[in-house]
């Protein structure tokens, strides 16, 4: 998931886009993962998840998002989805390191 220099550094999730994702619309999900996937990947790498495992952690992040997005409620017009995604990413990253510690 290489960063795309044409994407804004801090994208926001529009109401229509959120509604589509909550209805599990394939186009909305593709857009969601295309825009926010690289951000979650950077967060994983910044948390020292190895590049060889970061994509798998991001996949776990979006599996969690998929399970919870129907209950997601925007708290303000900008940033709340990104904060929610960051919280999920931190949790899945912590899970990764717990699993790694058990394997050692």
């Amino acid at each position: 998931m290489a960063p795309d220099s044409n994407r804004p550094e801090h994208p926001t999730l529009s109401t229509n886009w959120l509604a589509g994702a909550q209805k599990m619309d394939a186009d909305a999900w593709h857009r969601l993962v295309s825009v926010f996937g690289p951000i979650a990947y950077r967060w994983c790498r910044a948390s020292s998840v190895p590049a060889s495992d970061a994509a798998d952690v991001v996949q776990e992040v979006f599996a969690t998002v998929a399970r919870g997005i129907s209950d997601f409620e925007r708290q303000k017009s900008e940033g709340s989805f990104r904060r929610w995604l960051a919280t999920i990413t931190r949790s899945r990253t912590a899970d990764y390191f717990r699993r790694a510690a058990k394997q050692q």
Side-chain angles (χ1 to χ4, degrees), residues 70-81:
S70 64
D71 296 325
F72 174 77
E73 292 183 24
R74 177 174 278 149
Q75 298 300 312
K76 64 178 192 169
S77 63
E78 290 185 16
S80 63
F81 177 79

Side-chain angles (χ1 to χ4, degrees), residues 1-30:
M1 291 187 186
D4 183 342
S5 60
N6 294 327
R7 289 194 185 114
E9 182 64 28
H10 299 288
T12 59
L13 189 68
S14 73
T15 301
N16 290 338
W17 189 7
L18 174 60
Q22 288 176 321
K23 293 177 185 174
M24 297 299 170
D25 174 76
D27 290 337
W29 269 99
H30 175 74

Side-chain angles (χ1 to χ4, degrees), residues 54-101:
D56 291 336
V57 174
V58 171
Q59 189 171 10
E60 292 173 15
V61 166
F62 281 96
T64 302
V65 169
R67 287 189 297 273
I69 199 159
S70 64
D71 296 325
F72 174 77
E73 292 183 24
R74 177 174 278 149
Q75 298 300 312
K76 64 178 192 169
S77 63
E78 290 185 16
S80 63
F81 177 79
R82 201 170 43 250
R83 275 197 311 275
W84 184 59
L85 182 67
T87 299
I88 292 170
T89 303
R90 281 191 301 274
S91 181
R92 296 298 75 86
T93 299
D95 291 346
Y96 167 82
F97 285 113
R98 277 191 289 274
R99 285 191 308 269

Side-chain angles (χ1 to χ4, degrees), residues 38-49:
I39 294 168
Y41 182 87
R42 282 194 306 270
W43 290 338
C44 288
R45 295 290 291 129
S47 297
S48 300
V49 175

